[in-house]
Amino acid sequence: MGAMSDRSPSSQSAPEATHRAGFACFVGRPNAGKSTLTNALVGTKVAITSNRPQTTRHTVRGIVHRPDAQLVLVDTPGLHKPRTLLGERLNDVVRTTWAEVDVIGFCLPADQKLGPGDRFIATELAGIKKTPKVAVVTKTDLVDSKQLAEQLIAIDRLGKELGIEWAEIIPVSAVGDRQVGLLADLLVPMLPESPALYPEGDLTDEPEQVMVGELIREAALEGVRDELPHSIAVVVEEMLPREGRPENKPLLDIHANVYIERPSQKGIIIGPKGARLKEVGMKSRKHIEALLGTPVFLDLHVKVAKDWQRDPKQLRKLGF
């Protein structure tokens, strides 16, 4: 990148280079490294990463600002075979998102052979003709060069078989920060010419309340994912600056409800003598303060919303 920083007027009197801006989304089966990649590109923690599938619920966007381009990353929930109403709704969201973005990155972990899940997604992708598709081989830090080469060949073959023309096949390691910049370099030319879509400094256009809810949800699931895979929803009821505080010592009051499906799950979330809920509060408060850059008072309550994943009325109320 060094050569780019030469600003002396003599070196180029050509007209201003074109600026591009547009949307990309990463798809892939659960745990393919989509959120980690989003975070590496954006440079801060935006999407909720988790070692469990199906926890990214909202279209969280990260924005990559570059002098020549702005790349807006749309993080769709994982596409999976729907078992519930929520599942069907998520799949609709996914398909509409894919049709609207400028480029799709299909994430395939280097350390796992292509499986039925990948084929399911690739078959769906093959149906979306106009959008360019980039195969992104993630987690390359976990394999040797022979295994990587085999994966690249397998992906190429999968494309040919389903009639997908890969615009690029690129190996990256978001953890080792390898090739992440190169990935951005490859995605940018696929974006339409356009001025920036978001003001500089915006890393995400998710409403803050939704992101705060996601951070609480992540902390609440920490350590109990086996017992409550994703039967937790968090609704941030209000976020208000505390009145009467001096300007240099603001405090933000956040009132949030953690919804579970059954009364029996209450004890799991709250823990013995409320210890677990306290821990959840402390953990998420740290993340929220880092996100918002202000001290926070967090008031958390656990409520039961019976079988909310199957009830359209509850789903609407909980923001799905």
Side-chain angles (χ1 to χ4, degrees):
M1 294 297 279
M4 297 297 286
S5 60
D6 183 16
R7 290 269 167 87
S8 62
S10 61
S11 64
Q12 248 186 344
S13 52
E16 192 66 9
T18 40
H19 186 280
R20 293 180 181 274
F23 296 85
C25 76
F26 293 130
V27 304
R29 59 186 153 124
N31 280 345
K34 303 180 290 285
S35 297
T36 312
L37 195 55
T38 301
N39 295 337
L41 278 162
V42 176
T44 44
K45 184 171 174 167
V46 178
I48 300 300
T49 53
S50 123
N51 49 10
R52 272 307 148 86
Q54 290 172 34
T55 47
T56 314
R57 273 279 173 71
H58 295 277
T59 308
V60 177
R61 298 172 175 82
I63 301 173
V64 184
H65 294 280
R66 296 167 49 128
D68 58 332
Q70 190 179 62
L71 176 65
V72 183
L73 302 171
V74 187
D75 198 19
T76 51
L79 186 78
H80 49 93
K81 297 195 168 91
R83 284 190 304 277
T84 59
L85 183 64
L86 175 63
E88 276 167 47
R89 237 179 242 186
L90 289 181
N91 283 358
D92 292 342
V93 173
V94 173
R95 290 194 188 90
T96 35
T97 306
W98 290 5
E100 288 164 3
V101 296
D102 300 298
V103 54
I104 299 172
F106 183 19
C107 296
L108 299 134
D111 63 328
Q112 297 163 34
K113 283 210 180 334
L114 299 189
D118 299 313
R119 186 169 288 272
F120 175 65
I121 294 169
T123 310
E124 291 281 334
L125 279 180
I128 294 168
K129 292 285 179 237
K130 287 208 284 281
T131 319
K133 298 159 203 68
V134 174
V136 184
V137 188
T138 58
K139 309 187 183 186
T140 54
D141 48 306
L142 302 178
V143 299
D144 58 23
S145 52
K146 181 172 170 289
Q147 209 176 336
L148 180 59
E150 283 166 10
Q151 189 71 321
L152 297 175
I153 293 164
I155 292 167
D156 184 52
R157 214 176 277 147
L158 180 69
K160 287 200 172 73
E161 191 186 316
L162 297 172
I164 300 174
E165 178 112 18
W166 301 120
E168 301 274 355
I169 299 180
I170 171 171
V172 297
S173 161
V175 177
D177 205 17
R178 270 178 264 181
Q179 303 270 70
V180 173
L182 178 63
L183 175 60
D185 294 342
L186 290 174
L187 294 176
V188 163
M190 299 179 197
L191 305 178
E193 290 183 16
S194 155
L197 304 165
Y198 293 88
E200 177 79 69
D202 279 11
L203 287 175
T204 169
D205 75 337
E206 247 329 77
E208 285 178 344
Q209 259 168 274
V210 175
M211 292 188 66
V212 166
E214 285 283 284
L215 290 170
I216 295 170
R217 187 166 179 274
E218 186 179 50
L221 278 171
E222 199 65 45
V224 296
R225 290 180 203 275
D226 293 335
E227 296 143 279
L228 310 168
H230 49 276
S231 47
I232 296 184
V234 174
V235 176
V236 176
E237 298 293 340
E238 57 176 22
M239 290 171 45
L240 294 169
R242 174 84 55 96
E243 285 185 9
R245 297 279 295 197
E247 256 183 47
N248 57 350
K249 285 201 175 150
L251 182 69
L252 188 64
D253 283 319
I254 298 181
H255 299 279
N257 290 327
V258 178
Y259 287 94
I260 47 182
E261 290 187 293
R262 288 184 288 286
S264 60
Q265 299 170 331
K266 218 166 171 171
I268 300 174
I269 288 285
I270 295 175
K273 297 202 172 120
R276 216 179 153 272
L277 191 62
K278 204 180 262 156
E279 175 81 2
V280 169
M282 272 162 39
K283 235 188 210 147
S284 50
R285 199 186 74 234
K286 273 207 200 85
H287 288 304
I288 294 165
E289 291 181 337
L291 172 77
L292 302 177
T294 168
V296 161
F297 171 79
L298 182 58
D299 176 38
L300 273 189
H301 292 275
V302 179
K303 304 202 163 177
V304 178
K306 251 182 104 44
D307 291 327
W308 61 264
Q309 294 196 33
R310 294 172 193 283
D311 175 354
K313 234 181 29 245
Q314 300 269 19
L315 279 174
R316 271 198 303 280
K317 191 179 125 196
L318 298 172
F320 295 108

